């Protein structure tokens, strides 16, 4: 494909599913193929949105489900306008670690907020931007949470951010939400199991990317 054609990819998954690790591998891979790549994340990616992220992840923040939803959408609106749209306009491939499917899974399926409200706010905050490809990294929530919490402990001395500290039931519902989205949008969302080792996960992702971006490996 034309190396200057913009392309929007999102990486989704539960806690500790490997979103960050695999987004980095993906960035390096696409750069090696000559694409201009921007890797970013939600909530975050701008000064204001990173501040909102801190509120959202701080275990001391008391948030009602609705105020949580609005904060995610506020961060999204800023991030899309300030970072994602300009990058796409410049012809880059944008890889975003979490996006609108996460809101459906976390605030919809796990927090039980009205899905039609979430879809409306997602569309408003993103200016109706829809990813051309979404990789959903599917992990057993038990394994994922363990990984995520252990990593937090190593880096910050605490085990778990505000979302990771939610119940096992909550995280099982997050997974249900993602799988429901994948079923609803099978062309856009590709499910990749991450229970296996990192090399196998990466080659499954690479296969989806090569097919979508028409990259030929000779
Ligand atoms: N496919 C995989 N198989 C085994 N381990 C993996 C795989 N992908 C990532 N890991 C490891 O799992 C841990 C969590 O990965 P990572 O931080 O990328 O996940 P994440 O989805 O970004 O997590 P978080 O929700 O905390 O942001 C890391 O130690 C990483 O090296
Ligand atoms: Mg991460």
């Amino acid at each position: 494909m034309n190396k200057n054609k913009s392309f929007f990819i999102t990486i989704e998954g539960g806690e500790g599913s490997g979103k960050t690790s695999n987004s980095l591998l993906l960035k390096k891979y696409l750069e090696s193929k000559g694409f201009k790549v921007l890797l970013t994340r939600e909530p975050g990616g701008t000064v204001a949105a990173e501040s909102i992220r801190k509120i959202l992840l701080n275990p001391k923040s008391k948030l009602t489900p609705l105020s949580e939803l609005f904060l995610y959408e506020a961060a999204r609106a800023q991030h899309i306008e300030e970072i994602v749209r300009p990058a796409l306009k410049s012809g880059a491939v944008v890889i975003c670690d979490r996006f609108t499917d996460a809101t459906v899974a976390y605030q919809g399926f796990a927090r039980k907020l009205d899905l039609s409200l979430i879809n409306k706010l997602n569309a408003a905050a993103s200016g109706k931007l829809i990813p051309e490809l979404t990789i959903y990294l599917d992990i057993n929530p038990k394994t994922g949470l363990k990984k995520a919490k252990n990593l937090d402990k190593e880096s910050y001395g605490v085990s778990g951010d505000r979302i990771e500290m939610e119940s096992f039931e909550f995280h099982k519902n997050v997974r249900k939400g993602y799988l429901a989205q994948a079923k609803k949008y099978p062309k856009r969302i590709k499910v990749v199991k991450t229970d296996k080792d990192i090399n196998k996960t990466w080659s499954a992702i690479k296969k989806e990317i090569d097919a979508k971006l028409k990259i030929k490996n000779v």
Side-chain angles (χ1 to χ4, degrees), residues 25-149:
L25 289 175
L26 180 55
K27 178 176 193 271
K28 281 195 196 132
Y29 174 65
L30 290 175
E31 281 173 346
S32 79
K33 295 288 172 189
F35 291 93
K36 194 170 102 182
V37 182
L38 173 84
L39 171 59
T40 185
R41 69 170 178 186
E42 275 204 356
T46 80
V47 173
E50 288 290 338
S51 301
I52 296 176
R53 180 187 182 94
K54 288 203 183 98
I55 301 174
L56 281 163
L57 297 184
N58 183 352
K60 289 186 183 144
S61 299
K62 258 194 197 162
L63 295 172
T64 68
L66 206 52
S67 82
E68 179 184 279
L69 171 65
F70 290 154
L71 284 173
Y72 277 110
E73 299 294 3
R76 174 163 302 138
Q78 191 61 38
H79 179 234
I80 288 291
E81 195 67 23
E82 195 178 326
I83 304 289
V84 177
R85 290 247 184 233
L88 291 173
K89 225 176 195 172
S90 80
V93 175
V94 175
I95 306 167
C96 191
D97 183 337
R98 291 198 186 280
F99 192 53
T100 44
D101 296 304
T103 319
V104 173
Y106 282 78
Q107 281 67 49
F109 279 73
R111 293 271 189 241
K112 316 278 186 206
L113 287 174
D114 177 34
L115 285 175
S116 68
L117 172 68
I118 288 175
N119 289 332
K120 268 188 211 144
L121 290 178
N122 276 349
S126 66
K128 295 196 177 154
L129 186 65
I130 297 169
E132 280 143 296
L133 175 67
T134 297
I135 303 287
Y136 165 55
L137 298 172
D138 186 33
I139 194 165
N140 174 333
K142 231 176 216 162
T143 322
L145 273 173
K146 211 182 205 174
K147 271 191 202 175
K149 285 186 182 174

Side-chain angles (χ1 to χ4, degrees), residues 135-203:
I135 303 287
Y136 165 55
L137 298 172
D138 186 33
I139 194 165
N140 174 333
K142 231 176 216 162
T143 322
L145 273 173
K146 211 182 205 174
K147 271 191 202 175
K149 285 186 182 174
N150 282 343
L151 278 179
D152 286 350
K153 206 160 195 177
E154 276 170 29
S155 325
Y156 314 112
V158 289
S159 65
D161 62 38
R162 197 179 60 86
I163 304 291
E164 286 165 5
M165 284 163 75
E166 285 295 336
S167 65
F168 183 51
E169 196 59 30
F170 177 93
H171 292 283
K172 276 203 296 202
N173 286 332
V174 168
R175 178 163 187 248
K176 265 189 207 157
Y178 273 128
L179 289 172
Q181 283 291 93
K183 205 168 170 194
K184 195 168 168 191
Y185 304 106
K187 273 204 177 134
R188 171 172 68 84
I189 306 179
K190 303 296 173 193
V191 180
V192 171
K193 290 232 170 270
T194 65
D195 302 276
K196 296 176 195 139
D197 71 80
I198 202 155
N199 294 323
K200 280 195 184 139
T201 304
W202 168 243
S203 37

